[in-house]
Amino acid sequence: MVWDRLERSVNQPDAPWREGVFATSRVPGGDPFGLRTVILRRVERDAAALTIHTDARSPKIAQIEADPAVEWLGYDRRERLQIRLAGRATIHRADAVAEALWNESSPLSLRGYLGGHPPGTPVESDTPDPNLPAWVLERGDRLTREEVQPGRAHFAAVRIVVYAVEMLQLDRAGHRRARFDRVPNDPRTLWTGGWIMP
């Protein structure tokens, strides 16, 4: 059930688990919070892997490089179903994983990589700055793949191989919770687990 729903979430913009909370470990002296909302871009059921993309200059990259242990949290408000996935992340910049994800993504979803400043850079004025050239904003959803190509230098794919899945079903008649684990980084191992106390 979990992997079916995750696979559907990639291609359904309104799917509850398409947008999840991605958690990384804190890095001393860096960004104190390792939580942010991300969009699920690819699911590999057989490898138990999820992939997102991000700016290679963002704080989450340094956090993953320091500690690849990550978690992903999704919540279906209508069904009151929460999912937590724990895994190990790898960063892909100039390889086949990154190139495939870049090519699969729409120009509109890639336009953020045209930003001239790394994410989190302080703005030197009293007004917000979208960190995009004016021509990009003017083009809107008419951007072409050629126009966003310079952003490829700032693009990174983050692939998470999942080794723990936990589900929590909220119910007035009594919550239900289950957890399944496997050996980290070994997709040949079987999932083991079952019901746990909510």
Side-chain angles (χ1 to χ4, degrees), residues 13-170:
D14 60 345
W17 290 354
R18 180 174 170 81
E19 296 177 4
V21 176
F22 181 59
T24 53
S25 298
R26 298 177 178 189
V27 175
D31 185 354
F33 301 103
L35 298 172
R36 74 283 293 162
T37 302
V38 297
I39 297 175
L40 189 57
R41 302 294 180 174
R42 185 185 297 152
V43 173
E44 302 166 66
R45 179 192 299 248
D46 292 341
L50 313 175
T51 305
I52 63 170
H53 59 70
T54 189
D55 194 306
R57 303 166 294 175
S58 72
K60 73 174 77 62
I61 294 297
Q63 292 168 343
I64 293 167
E65 288 173 339
D67 182 355
V70 298
E71 287 200 7
W72 188 89
L73 173 73
Y75 184 66
D76 183 334
R77 189 173 183 180
R78 187 174 56 83
E79 294 191 20
R80 303 181 75 203
L81 180 63
Q82 174 183 281
I83 182 171
R84 285 179 54 198
L85 307 174
R88 295 185 66 78
T90 52
I91 300 164
H92 303 268
R93 293 184 182 98
D95 62 9
V97 173
E99 196 61 26
L101 193 57
W102 174 268
N103 292 330
E104 291 169 13
S105 302
S106 71
L108 189 60
S109 72
L110 298 174
R111 75 179 190 165
Y113 302 109
L114 293 169
H117 302 284
T121 301
V123 175
E124 296 181 5
S125 71
D126 292 337
T127 58
D129 186 334
N131 196 22
L132 289 172
W135 69 266
V136 173
L137 297 172
E138 290 168 10
R139 296 281 293 148
D141 60 3
R142 295 172 291 128
L143 280 168
T144 65
R145 185 153 297 280
E146 292 74 27
E147 289 172 322
V148 298
Q149 187 60 37
R152 177 66 180 85
H154 301 144
F155 177 88
V158 178
R159 185 172 181 264
I160 303 114
V161 176
V162 177
Y163 58 77
V165 176
E166 191 172 298
M167 297 174 296
L168 174 63
Q169 176 69 66
L170 301 176

